[in-house]
């Protein structure tokens, strides 16, 4: 069984009363959906069958991109967060530093926390109408929302240099470690959507060190809705009949049964 993220991690709540609604996550630990501008972008769910079947599929071409949320690159390159050497947790950042990104979320209250990812972090890169499968043995899985692996190798090398410098100096420059930002459907979810930090994540992987992750979570999880699933069916399927053992169909059926 995967170990759930500790509920005692330091966190701060932030209200987003006037969000533009570009980014929304609905669902829970059993399955969730990332919507961009109201359209299904990434679906992650469990088909409930023995060897867990997890779906992480990007909507077809022409869907909304994620580039518009990357206004915080410079600050996230060195946000000044210092993980505790024993627990890996860090004090959460000032939400105002994240305001450009928060303004793209659906209005509501969000919990912000930060800390090092576990060593056995799983990176899942969605491919159009493909079902990605893995065993739920990892402590954390991040679903990419941009090109993977990143194309800008120079940026990856630069982040790698910063990571190594921070580790070599110990606590003296630990606050210079770059941070990723991921959106989770619930506090207990072990799967999150990587909104920013693909180059940083690649650098952490090359360095063989746990990534520093800022977690965003709706304080009140939003259930998957029937109209969400209608849009999912249109975006993730081609309308053709599917065999009874089809993994995508099984996931959609399971989500449909539990939808609000």
């Amino acid at each position: 069984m995967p170990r759930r993220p500790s509920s005692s991690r330091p966190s701060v709540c932030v209200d987003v009363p006037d969000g533009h609604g570009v980014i929304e996550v609905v669902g829970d630990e059993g399955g969730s959906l990332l919507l961009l501008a109201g359209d299904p972008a990434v679906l992650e769910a469990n088909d409930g069958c023995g060897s867990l079947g997890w779906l992480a599929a990007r909507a077809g071409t022409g869907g909304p991109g994620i580039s518009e949320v990357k206004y915080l690159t410079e600050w996230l390159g060195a946000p000044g967060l210092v993980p505790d050497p024993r627990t890996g947790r860090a004090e959460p950042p000032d939400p105002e530093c994240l305001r450009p990104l928060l303004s793209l979320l659906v209005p509501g209250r969000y919990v912000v926390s930060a800390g090092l990812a576990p060593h056995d972090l799983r990176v899942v890169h969605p491919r159009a109408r493909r079902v990605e499968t893995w065993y739920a043995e990892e402590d954390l899985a991040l679903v990419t929302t941009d090109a993977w692996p990143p194309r800008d190798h120079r940026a990856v090398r630069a982040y790698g240099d910063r990571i190594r410098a921070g580790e070599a100096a110990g606590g003296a420059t630990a606050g210079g470690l770059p941070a990723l930002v991921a959106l989770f459907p619930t506090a207990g979810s072990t799967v999150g959507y990587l909104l920013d930090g693909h180059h940083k994540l690649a650098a952490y992987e090359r360095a063989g060190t746990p990534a520093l992750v800022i977690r965003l979570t709706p304080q009140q999880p939003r259930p998957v809705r029937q109209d969400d699933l209608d849009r999912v069916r249109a975006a993730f399927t081609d309308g053709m009949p599917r065999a009874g053992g089809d993994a995508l169909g099984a996931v959609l059926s399971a989500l449909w049964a539990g939808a609000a």
Side-chain angles (χ1 to χ4, degrees), residues 15-22 99 102-110:
D15 289 314
V16 182
D18 54 354
H20 294 291
V22 174
R99 185 59 60 180
L102 295 175
S103 70
L104 295 174
L105 297 172
V106 165
R109 172 167 286 191
Y110 292 82

Side-chain angles (χ1 to χ4, degrees), residues 93-163:
D94 181 350
E96 286 305 312
C97 295
L98 294 166
R99 185 59 60 180
L101 179 56
L102 295 175
S103 70
L104 295 174
L105 297 172
V106 165
R109 172 167 286 191
Y110 292 82
V111 178
V112 183
S113 60
L116 296 178
H119 278 283
D120 48 359
L121 171 69
R122 164 77 68 167
V123 179
V124 180
H125 181 57
R127 291 168 287 181
R129 297 182 175 86
R130 287 286 300 274
V131 173
E132 310 292 342
T133 61
W134 70 90
Y135 287 96
E137 296 173 348
E138 295 79 13
D139 284 325
L140 180 66
L142 292 180
V143 181
T144 63
T145 59
D146 206 342
W148 187 263
R151 301 186 181 97
D152 189 344
H153 302 295
R154 182 177 300 178
V156 173
R157 287 194 298 270
Y159 283 125
D161 292 341
R162 185 172 298 174
I163 292 167

